[in-house]
Amino acid sequence: MNNTSPFWEPDWKRVQAPLSALRRQLASFPSPPLRIMKVSQLDADLLDEELLETMKEQLWSAFALFKPTFKETFKPEMTLALNLIMYKFSVYDMGATYGSQLQNLIYRNERKHSGGLQSTSSDAPLTKTQKITYGAVTVGGQYLMDRLNRVVTAQGWGELPEDNIKRKAWNVLQKGGSIFRIVSLINFLAFLYAGKYRTVLERVLSMRLVYAERNSNRQASFEFLNRQMVWHAFTEFLMFLMPLINVSKLKRNIKRMLLPAALMSGNELSALPAHICAICHENNSAAATPATQTSTVIHNPYITDCGHVYCYYCIKTKMMIDDEWCCLRCGKKVDAIARHIEVAPDKALEDKIEDEDELSELEADMADTAGDSVSDKRS
């Protein structure tokens, strides 16, 4: 039995060369650009920062019982270990940070997607060199900068003479930092325009964030955001409104409407001794701890138009805050105050007055006796 080839096989073999040439030309043709939402990439960065801060708080609480100098001394090393662990289990193993995974993003090697391969369905993973370089710069570079800043600050390189080599190194560091910030700003503006690389390091290493699953819809629920915005607006309104409301005046007016005048004046403050300031006593009653309590004896006494005495600072403060402030002892409105001067009794003067009174009584008795004797002689 003869094996005959399909009728179309000769034609297929004949068009292989043109098809290969056409495939090679397709790579140079412009393709639709791959658009990744910028807000998702920025949200991923914020999530990474918040996760790192949460992990740091847990780490610092674990060393809360150690000496404070221990944490301050080895803080860069502990931060290095934490960053290294997070880098190992995220970028090195999964090809994306935890925040990027939550936003359905993953890094790809953009060098394999130049030209018409930008929007291909399969993304080229990062090479080992890219991962190691990214970790060395982000983790190791941050540690070196922290340690270097500590040394520079502790030794005061910026205060040394200009010809000192450490001062020159400090100037180089300052200029390098300024140049890096300028380059980062330019890169961020380019990111806002094209949406490809968030940082300078990602641009240098050609590490671009793309969707891990392009067919999945972005799950964005704005319910929580709406609640936060409403609550934030409400709290801002309360913060604006509360200083305009005189709470004590409002309470007093409510008491006036609900309670009779006899009950208003018959409170416990009306029974305080005269040398006790009722305002100081009320403040001490509201104090949270005994350590915050102060003396209640009246200092620099001032008397109100209702006849009660308070400390000048206490009564003046109350009247400046509330122009309709009422006396705590009697409940009457205080309109004016005056300095209260207590006249101490003079014992010698009292004795002198008593002696003069006795002398006057004696002279009167003697005059009466003399008058009686004259009357007897006449009779």
Side-chain angles (χ1 to χ4, degrees):
M1 185 175 180
N2 295 330
N3 293 328
T4 59
S5 60
F7 67 93
W8 47 264
E9 185 173 356
D11 296 332
W12 175 252
K13 290 180 180 179
R14 188 171 56 254
V15 298
Q16 286 302 312
L19 284 176
S20 299
L22 183 61
R23 290 193 186 98
R24 288 192 297 268
Q25 294 176 2
L26 285 175
S28 60
F29 288 166
S31 62
L34 180 61
R35 301 293 184 183
I36 308 298
M37 295 186 64
K38 305 180 186 69
V39 65
S40 298
Q41 300 181 60
L42 296 177
D43 286 344
D45 194 18
L46 293 176
L47 288 172
D48 291 330
E49 293 179 0
E50 292 180 0
L51 177 61
L52 181 60
E53 291 299 324
T54 303
M55 297 297 293
K56 283 183 179 181
E57 291 179 1
Q58 298 296 327
L59 182 63
W60 304 151
S61 62
F63 290 92
L65 299 179
F66 286 72
K67 294 181 178 180
T69 55
F70 177 82
K71 187 182 77 171
E72 291 298 327
T73 303
F74 298 99
K75 186 176 181 179
E77 284 73 18
M78 291 188 288
T79 305
L80 171 65
L82 182 61
N83 289 331
L84 189 60
I85 293 173
M86 294 183 65
Y87 160 77
K88 170 63 173 63
F89 292 104
S90 60
V91 177
Y92 192 83
D93 292 342
M94 306 297 296
T97 62
Y98 292 113
S100 300
Q101 295 178 38
L102 291 175
Q103 296 293 327
N104 188 31
L105 298 175
I106 191 172
Y107 280 116
R108 80 173 184 183
N109 186 4
E110 194 65 14
R111 294 169 184 168
K112 301 292 184 179
H113 295 271
S114 59
L117 303 176
Q118 183 179 158
S119 300
T120 55
S121 58
S122 61
D123 297 319
L126 297 178
T127 63
K128 193 172 183 179
T129 303
Q130 287 175 313
K131 294 180 179 180
I132 294 176
T133 306
Y134 181 84
V137 175
T138 56
V139 180
Q142 181 180 356
Y143 168 73
L144 292 178
M145 289 302 299
D146 290 342
R147 270 299 174 192
L148 184 60
N149 287 332
R150 288 197 170 204
V151 172
V152 170
T153 305
Q155 298 182 4
W157 288 13
E159 300 176 357
L160 297 175
E162 291 291 340
D163 56 348
N164 192 291
I165 187 173
K166 293 183 178 180
R167 178 58 184 272
K168 295 179 180 179
W170 183 81
N171 292 334
V172 172
L173 290 175
Q174 294 298 314
K175 293 180 181 179
S178 301
I179 294 173
F180 177 76
R181 285 189 289 271
I182 294 174
V183 174
S184 299
L185 176 60
I186 296 174
N187 177 82
F188 186 72
L189 295 176
F191 166 76
L192 294 179
Y193 176 76
K196 294 184 68 173
Y197 303 104
R198 298 175 303 175
T199 63
V200 178
L201 180 61
E202 292 178 356
R203 185 175 296 275
V204 172
L205 297 178
S206 297
M207 297 171 55
R208 184 184 179 185
L209 284 173
V210 296
Y211 292 121
E213 298 180 5
R214 299 185 186 179
N215 296 327
S216 62
N217 297 326
R218 182 172 183 260
Q219 302 295 331
S221 176
F222 297 99
E223 182 180 357
F224 175 76
L225 180 60
N226 292 335
R227 289 201 304 266
Q228 289 294 106
M229 292 180 65
V230 171
W231 177 248
H232 187 264
F234 180 69
T235 52
E236 282 191 346
F237 175 72
L238 288 181
M239 294 291 290
F240 169 77
L241 187 62
M242 287 304 294
L244 304 178
I245 300 176
N246 194 327
V247 180
S248 59
K249 183 178 180 180
L250 182 63
K251 290 170 59 178
R252 183 180 62 253
N253 292 335
I254 294 175
K255 286 182 179 180
R256 283 180 178 177
M257 292 186 296
L258 300 179
L259 299 178
L263 189 58
M264 288 284 295
S265 60
N267 53 27
E268 60 178 5
L269 298 177
S270 61
L272 291 175
H275 68 282
I276 299 297
C277 177
I279 300 176
C280 295
H281 182 80
E282 185 182 43
N283 294 338
N284 282 349
S285 300
T289 58
T292 58
Q293 296 181 355
T294 58
S295 175
T296 58
V297 179
I298 296 178
H299 299 283
N300 193 8
Y302 268 67
I303 188 170
T304 62
D305 51 1
C306 62
H308 296 107
V309 183
Y310 295 91
C311 300
Y312 172 75
Y313 175 79
C314 298
I315 187 65
K316 192 64 177 178
T317 303
K318 290 293 185 180
M319 294 182 67
M320 290 176 64
I321 295 176
D322 186 3
D323 55 352
E324 296 184 2
W325 185 78
C326 297
C327 178
L328 297 179
R329 292 179 178 267
C330 63
K332 296 180 180 180
K333 178 184 175 182
V334 177
D335 294 322
I337 58 174
R339 186 173 183 85
H340 179 59
I341 301 176
E342 296 182 356
V343 180
D346 191 346
K347 186 65 176 177
L349 181 60
E350 291 180 356
D351 294 341
K352 184 178 180 180
I353 293 174
E354 290 178 358
D355 293 340
E356 290 179 353
D357 292 341
E358 292 178 358
L359 181 60
S360 300
E361 292 177 359
L362 182 59
E363 291 177 351
D365 293 340
M366 290 177 65
D368 293 340
T369 304
D372 293 342
S373 298
V374 171
S375 299
D376 293 340
K377 288 180 181 181
R378 289 178 179 179
S379 58

